[in-house]
Amino acid sequence: MRWVPIERDYIHGILEGYRLSYEDISYNSTKKVTTVNKFTTEIELNGLKKFTEYKIRVAAYTSRGRGPFSLVVKVKTAEDGEWNKKCR
């Protein structure tokens, strides 16, 4: 998963990193959150189910708190567990 760094004009405080929220679209899915540092704009999500659709969102956070999450990006893993669609 890749994203564009947040623009400086939208940062309120000192940028500390990003939070990714992701979950499969099934009825009983569990939301997972991963935190990365401010220099990271790409991450490999491990442990995803094969041939499953996921909703992914990202938000920047600062010393003052988390900003709003991005729009949802939907991706689907292939039968071997790899992405069958790149998302940026």
Side-chain angles (χ1 to χ4, degrees):
M1 173 75 189
R2 291 183 205 170
W3 60 93
V4 176
I6 188 169
E7 293 181 27
R8 180 74 191 127
D9 292 344
Y10 296 105
I11 300 172
H12 303 289
I14 298 170
L15 179 64
E16 293 183 357
Y18 296 94
R19 289 203 173 107
L20 279 84
S21 168
Y22 61 100
E23 63 184 308
D24 71 61
I25 297 182
S26 67
Y27 177 70
N28 288 326
S29 69
T30 301
K31 187 180 293 185
K32 297 178 183 173
V33 177
T34 299
T35 303
V36 296
N37 68 46
K38 65 183 176 183
F39 303 110
T40 302
T41 57
E42 180 176 350
I43 188 171
E44 183 175 317
L45 300 175
N46 296 310
L48 302 180
K49 299 175 197 171
K50 297 178 181 183
F51 207 60
T52 303
E53 192 170 15
Y54 284 85
K55 299 185 300 187
I56 305 171
R57 303 180 311 158
V58 64
Y61 70 93
T62 69
S63 54
R64 298 176 71 188
R66 180 187 52 80
F69 274 102
S70 67
L71 296 175
V72 171
V73 173
K74 292 182 181 179
V75 295
K76 189 171 189 177
T77 55
E79 290 184 41
D80 64 0
E82 298 294 324
W83 297 115
N84 63 9
K85 171 184 168 186
K86 286 193 174 187
C87 55
R88 293 175 187 235

